[in-house]
Amino acid sequence: MVASAHQAGDSGGLRPAFAAARSRLGLIALLFALAAASWWWTVDRMRGMDEGPGTDLGTLGWFLGVWIVMMAAMMLPSVSPTVALYSRMTKQRSPVAPVVFVSGYLLTWAGAGLIAFAISEAGGRVFGDVLSWDRAGRWVAGGTLVVAAAYELTPLKTVCLRHCRSPLGFLLGSWRDGLSGALLMGAKHGAWCLGCCWALMASLFALGVMSIVWMAFVAGLIAAEKTLPWGRAVTYGTAAILLGLGVLLVAVPDAIPGLAIPHEGTMNQMTHAALNSLARAHPRTGVPTPRPTALEPDHPAIRIRASGSPTS
């Protein structure tokens, strides 16, 4: 009975947002177009960069820019009904207000990216090679997935997910007028969403934050939890999936499709290529010299070798 009540509440909370989405099809189309463009940009930028668990995040500026675009790609489709409902409720009828709302939402996720980068940098500095895949790295990644699975079943997850699935209640309880109000409301909604999804994002880091496949996988789980009508049943399924991945990652990582397993040879491939290029370089100019090629059949040296004497 309790489960039925929760599902009924969730369904009722989603109905006003879906109704608003049907009346704001232009806005929904814009948000989905932005998400599609973000996916295209992310795929182009991250091609060949997936090194699996423990992928290097690069510099802060580069990572933060990529992270914000990633969040737009992954989160805009599932948050679009809330944005449509906000647009329908606002008195100004301004096309700018929904954009400001989304900006506040992404601002919260940008802050989460800064925290993730700081944790990654601090872990690398403190533990160094201890976190490499062949040592503790596999156990840390698997443990992260198990913790994420456990979080799916906590009361805090339930509370945060209920706010995400009941946008009308959130907007009525947090309403602020004006563009500054739109920014604050977007940021606050992003905070509830972060409370709901931080463990899933941690799972993305554990599986390979630069992997398009795992990005799409986590985005699909987030969208299912926020929009499907089955409520907590979806989170139980998500917990089971994450737990299974955590066990497989420690026991038999090769059995996980799409997982890039870190290896020292592949991680240093570019370094080896650069050293080989320098080894073939001309000693004075530093310009790489071409590798020796096979002689043509009619080359004089071939004719001499074949006949035993020079031929004209």
Side-chain angles (χ1 to χ4, degrees):
M1 243 177 117
V2 174
S4 301
H6 278 310
Q7 289 179 359
D10 286 347
S11 178
L14 289 169
R15 286 197 193 100
F18 288 148
R22 287 190 292 270
S23 66
R24 294 289 189 274
L25 292 179
L27 177 59
I28 295 296
L30 175 61
L31 293 173
F32 271 77
L34 288 174
S38 299
W39 275 107
W40 176 85
W41 186 90
T42 304
V43 170
D44 182 68
R45 294 284 292 181
M46 291 167 50
R47 185 179 290 113
M49 297 184 63
D50 178 25
E51 294 177 354
T55 298
D56 182 64
L57 302 184
T59 63
L60 175 59
W62 185 89
F63 170 75
L64 190 59
V66 171
W67 175 260
I68 293 173
V69 178
M70 283 174 57
M71 292 304 99
M74 297 175 67
M75 308 304 289
L76 284 184
S78 59
V79 80
S80 59
T82 302
V83 180
L85 182 60
Y86 167 78
S87 175
R88 189 176 183 181
M89 291 173 63
T90 185
K91 297 177 180 179
Q92 289 89 348
R93 303 295 181 186
S94 169
V96 178
V99 176
V100 176
F101 184 94
V102 171
S103 299
Y105 180 84
L106 293 177
L107 189 62
T108 297
W109 279 106
L114 286 174
I115 295 173
F117 185 88
I119 293 173
S120 177
E121 286 293 300
R125 291 177 184 273
V126 172
F127 298 104
D129 291 339
V130 175
L131 295 179
S132 63
W133 175 257
D134 294 330
R135 299 180 69 182
R138 179 191 299 191
W139 294 93
V140 172
T144 300
L145 289 166
V146 172
V147 169
Y151 180 74
E152 290 288 312
L153 308 178
T154 61
L156 180 58
K157 168 74 178 189
T158 302
V159 171
C160 293
L161 182 60
R162 189 176 301 146
H163 278 79
C164 291
R165 290 176 59 87
S166 304
L168 179 59
F170 162 76
L171 292 173
L172 290 175
S174 306
W175 191 264
R176 298 290 184 275
D177 291 324
L179 295 182
S180 60
L183 185 69
L184 291 174
M185 291 171 66
K188 187 174 181 179
H189 186 65
W192 283 113
C193 187
L194 178 60
C196 175
C197 303
W198 70 264
L200 287 169
M201 289 301 174
S203 300
L204 178 59
F205 280 87
L207 294 166
V209 70
M210 298 296 174
S211 169
I212 299 299
V213 172
W214 293 116
M215 266 186 64
F217 173 77
V218 172
L221 292 179
I222 291 172
E225 287 190 348
K226 287 186 175 182
T227 60
L228 291 183
W230 301 295
R232 289 294 290 172
V234 180
T235 62
Y236 292 140
T238 300
I241 292 171
L242 294 176
L243 179 61
L245 285 173
V247 173
L248 287 176
L249 191 62
V250 172
V252 279
D254 291 331
I256 302 178
L259 179 69
I261 300 176
H263 293 292
E264 184 177 357
T266 56
M267 292 175 68
N268 294 331
Q269 186 176 7
M270 292 182 64
T271 302
H272 293 324
L275 291 175
N276 290 335
S277 177
L278 288 174
R280 296 195 305 269
H282 189 278
R284 292 185 179 179
T285 63
V287 177
T289 56
R291 294 180 178 178
T293 57
L295 298 176
E296 297 293 335
D298 59 345
H299 192 278
I302 297 297
R303 294 200 299 270
I304 292 173
R305 187 180 302 170
S307 62
S309 60
T311 59
S312 56

